[in-house]
């Protein structure tokens, strides 16, 4: 069994910053990619940022230059630093990991989500 545990969401004013963290634990053998998705009310879930094993990163156009993703492969953690937040960033943010379990199963694992609200 694999768990992704997120932390760091909350309420922030426009222009502020938040830092989201996610840790993978359980029957994890290897992780190919970790990232963050978000889903705003009434909208579909979308990719925010992702980092691969080779260090390559990708970002949604709407967050480029404002968000930074980083990963600690030894600790199976990923962090999303969010700066210059805008009301449009309000959503539930989900941690995601593409991984292989100790039983050699390939999984696309999700956290339970953490709420980010950007408002005055």
């Amino acid at each position: 069994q694999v768990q992704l545990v997120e932390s760091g969401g909350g309420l922030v004013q426009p222009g502020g910053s938040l830092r989201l963290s996610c840790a993978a634990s359980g029957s994890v053998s290897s992780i190919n990619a970790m990232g963050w998705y978000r889903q705003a009310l009434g909208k579909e879930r979308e990719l925010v940022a992702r980092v691969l094993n080779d260090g390559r990163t990708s970002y949604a156009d709407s967050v480029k230059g404002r968000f930074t993703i980083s990963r600690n492969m030894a600790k199976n953690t990923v962090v999303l630093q969010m700066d210059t937040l805008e009301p449009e960033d309000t959503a539930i943010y989900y941690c995601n990991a593409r991984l292989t379990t100790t039983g050699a199963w390939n999984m696309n694992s999700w956290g339970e989500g953490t709420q980010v609200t950007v408002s005055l």
Side-chain angles (χ1 to χ4, degrees):
Q1 193 171 2
V2 173
Q3 299 86 32
L4 297 183
V5 178
E6 303 129 330
S7 61
L11 172 64
V12 65
Q13 293 186 352
S17 298
L18 281 175
R19 186 179 175 91
L20 303 182
S21 298
C22 173
S25 63
S27 305
V28 178
S29 176
S30 63
I31 300 178
N32 300 316
M34 293 190 79
W36 291 91
Y37 288 69
R38 68 186 180 187
Q39 187 166 17
L41 195 62
K43 295 187 177 181
E44 293 187 354
R45 190 174 297 189
E46 62 175 357
L47 174 68
V48 176
R50 179 172 55 198
V51 56
L52 304 180
N53 275 0
D54 60 7
R56 285 182 294 161
T57 58
S58 58
Y59 295 90
D61 287 342
S62 60
V63 307
K64 283 180 181 177
R66 301 188 297 120
F67 291 10
T68 304
I69 191 169
S70 59
R71 179 179 163 187
N72 185 320
M73 293 180 64
K75 295 184 177 180
N76 286 340
T77 58
V78 65
V79 170
L80 184 68
Q81 177 66 40
M82 304 186 294
D83 298 317
T84 320
L85 282 160
E86 303 170 352
E88 293 74 21
D89 296 316
T90 296
I92 300 174
Y93 284 68
Y94 296 90
C95 180
N96 172 264
R98 295 206 312 260
L99 56 89
T100 302
T101 68
T102 53
W105 291 97
N106 293 323
M107 289 184 62
N108 190 29
S109 186
W110 294 91
E112 293 187 350
T114 184
Q115 177 71 46
V116 171
T117 303
V118 185
S119 179
L120 291 172

